[in-house]
Amino acid sequence: MRDMPWIYAAIILLLPKACHVSGTNQTISANSDTSSSPKLYVVRNEAFNVGSDVNLTCSNKTWNEMMYVIWTIDMKYNPKECKIAFDTEGRSDDSCKDGKSLRNTSSAQSYLHIPNFSDYDVGVYKCESVYRGANENYKIHVAITVPPSISAWLERKDNRMVAVCKAESGIPAANISWSHMGNSSTVKTSNDSRGFYTVESLLELPEGMDTVNLSCVIRHPYWKGEKILVPELQKGYVLWLCVLIVVVIIVFLAGVLFFAQKKIIMLRQCQQSDDTSSPSKSPPIEDVEEVEPYASYIQRVNSIYNSSDLYT
Ligand SMILES: *[C@@H]1O[C@H](CO)[C@@H](O)[C@H](O)[C@H]1NC(C)=O
Ligand SMILES: *[C@@H]1O[C@H](CO)[C@@H](O)[C@H](O)[C@H]1NC(C)=O
Ligand SMILES: *[C@@H]1O[C@H](CO)[C@@H](O)[C@H](O)[C@H]1NC(C)=O
Ligand SMILES: *[C@@H]1O[C@H](CO)[C@@H](O)[C@H](O)[C@H]1NC(C)=O
Ligand SMILES: *[C@@H]1O[C@H](CO)[C@@H](O)[C@H](O)[C@H]1NC(C)=O
């Protein structure tokens, strides 16, 4: 009985290893390990546009010569390496299971296809292709290109006009320049944990400068050309002004409605009190006097009593 925990411990210790061994029991991986003593990599850097379909080629050998190809992918935001492999005997392996696949060109050249490229796919892609007699190893640093969202405006700062041009959340950082060789432009660049850059360029304008033709030029690898923005008097300010005006109008209307409703209620109450007081007084007297003299007499007596009540 005392031995039982040891047995459990042994099983627990051995189990993950056993699983791991069976998981990597691929003849392709085994081959790669034997031939991997001094691995020399050809290193390449590549960047692709977000959302594009990417084709990564490592060797220009075709399947006529090749025996197998293994991609070992170490994605930046994925803690585990994964593999995609294929050999000429038709064996394949895909531990990534995220849509990446091996494909052939029409000339039987192998490439890795990455659909809808996103920052999830950023990382180091190692490719090993073995053909008769030799092998080729590539290490490709794959980066992403994300266009920034851009804006420009004019704002007042300590009685000075400042033109601001901003390129937000782009990879890599955008380049901003001004059409006017204004004297002092300040550039602020910041980046967040996921590698997105925000660049803000401030141009102080000389007093009384004509801003008609002032524009900022933003360059980013995502765009073929450059983007030109003309800063207008602060958009945000105008927007807030509009919001404020709308709010004031709504409050005003609400106030008017409120008072109108109050007035109506008061008027109704007045009318109601008129309605309730009048029939008991004058009109019945006339009407009743003609029809029922007795009732009118009683009412008159009552009213006399009432009035005498008032005098007491
Ligand atoms: C290991 O590989 C051999 C040879 O390819 C195969 O026969 C066997 O079924 C594999 N074992 C596992 C657990 O995948
Ligand atoms: C690529 O070509 C090889 C060799 O002709 C073939 O075995 C494999 O099935 C092809 N792969 C795809 C995805 O078409
Ligand atoms: C590509 O991925 C983004 C999010 O990562 C998604 O919003 C978009 O719909 C995808 N596009 C296609 C064509 O799958
Ligand atoms: C900007 O230029 C004006 C003259 O064009 C100069 O008087 C001023 O000192 C300059 N400002 C800065 C901050 O360089
Ligand atoms: C602005 O540009 C137009 C055409 O390029 C030019 O005719 C005009 O003189 C410029 N205005 C100023 C104030 O520089």
Side-chain angles (χ1 to χ4, degrees):
M1 284 297 273
R2 280 214 150 198
D3 291 344
M4 287 304 277
W6 287 103
I7 290 167
Y8 282 123
I11 289 170
I12 286 164
L13 280 172
L14 286 173
L15 211 65
K17 283 202 174 168
C19 287
H20 190 70
V21 168
S22 66
T24 53
N25 178 26
Q26 290 274 345
T27 45
I28 320 174
S29 326
N31 279 348
S32 80
D33 285 340
T34 53
S35 64
S36 71
S37 356
K39 226 179 237 180
L40 284 175
Y41 287 100
V42 178
V43 179
R44 245 166 48 204
N45 293 310
E46 295 199 27
F48 301 100
N49 288 350
V50 62
S52 61
D53 286 338
V54 169
N55 296 327
L56 274 184
T57 309
C58 73
S59 164
N60 52 13
K61 295 278 187 297
T62 64
W63 277 116
N64 302 330
E65 303 167 81
M66 281 214 306
M67 290 155 75
Y68 65 85
V69 61
I70 302 172
W71 285 89
T72 307
I73 305 164
D74 184 7
M75 285 176 280
K76 198 172 165 189
Y77 301 112
N78 205 14
K80 266 197 187 162
E81 258 187 8
C82 70
K83 278 183 207 267
I84 296 176
F86 187 82
D87 74 4
T88 39
E89 280 161 50
R91 280 173 296 205
S92 65
D93 181 19
D94 177 5
S95 64
C96 298
K97 296 185 182 69
D98 57 1
K100 296 184 181 68
S101 60
L102 277 174
R103 292 186 177 184
N104 294 332
T105 62
S106 53
S107 57
Q109 197 181 329
S110 178
Y111 64 86
L112 182 72
H113 177 77
I114 309 169
N116 197 11
F117 192 73
S118 71
D119 63 343
Y120 166 82
D121 301 307
V122 169
V124 180
Y125 288 63
K126 280 186 269 188
C127 163
E128 187 188 352
S129 56
V130 173
Y131 49 96
R132 285 178 235 298
N135 65 1
E136 284 178 352
N137 300 312
Y138 290 87
K139 195 187 258 184
I140 309 171
H141 294 271
V142 174
I144 194 166
T145 307
V146 182
S149 39
I150 55 176
S151 52
W153 65 92
L154 292 173
E155 66 183 29
R156 226 169 250 291
K157 227 179 202 176
D158 311 328
N159 267 341
R160 275 175 160 257
M161 199 59 108
V162 177
V164 185
C165 200
K166 194 173 186 181
E168 254 173 301
S169 301
I171 303 176
N175 180 293
I176 301 178
S177 57
W178 292 92
S179 61
H180 285 48
M181 287 290 122
N183 40 4
S184 71
S185 77
T186 339
V187 181
K188 283 188 280 184
T189 305
S190 59
N191 66 332
D192 66 11
S193 57
R194 284 181 83 78
F196 289 86
Y197 289 91
T198 294
V199 183
E200 197 175 40
S201 180
L202 286 93
L203 180 73
E204 242 182 54
L205 302 177
E207 203 56 47
M209 189 191 127
D210 196 349
T211 60
V212 171
N213 288 352
L214 177 68
S215 60
C216 74
V217 181
I218 307 175
R219 288 186 191 83
H220 191 272
Y222 189 88
W223 307 310
K224 284 193 189 80
E226 53 195 28
K227 301 263 174 187
I228 296 171
L229 291 181
V230 176
E232 309 270 356
L233 199 61
Q234 210 169 5
K235 255 193 251 161
Y237 174 72
V238 173
L239 190 79
W240 279 114
L241 204 70
C242 286
V243 168
L244 199 73
I245 288 170
V246 167
V247 165
V248 164
I249 288 172
I250 287 172
V251 166
F252 179 73
L253 285 179
V256 165
L257 254 166
F258 179 71
F259 279 108
Q261 208 171 18
K262 251 195 162 177
K263 268 266 165 77
I264 287 167
I265 288 170
M266 274 167 67
L267 274 173
R268 274 212 191 131
Q269 275 174 345
C270 287
Q271 268 180 348
Q272 266 175 358
S273 61
D274 280 357
D275 288 350
T276 49
S277 58
S278 52
S280 66
K281 279 179 188 166
S282 37
I285 295 170
E286 297 169 51
D287 292 347
V288 172
E289 207 157 12
E290 286 160 19
V291 187
E292 277 180 277
Y294 177 70
S296 83
Y297 168 72
I298 286 179
Q299 204 148 34
R300 262 185 211 176
V301 169
N302 279 346
S303 65
I304 289 164
Y305 276 137
N306 284 345
S307 53
S308 63
D309 278 348
L310 278 170
Y311 290 115
T312 53

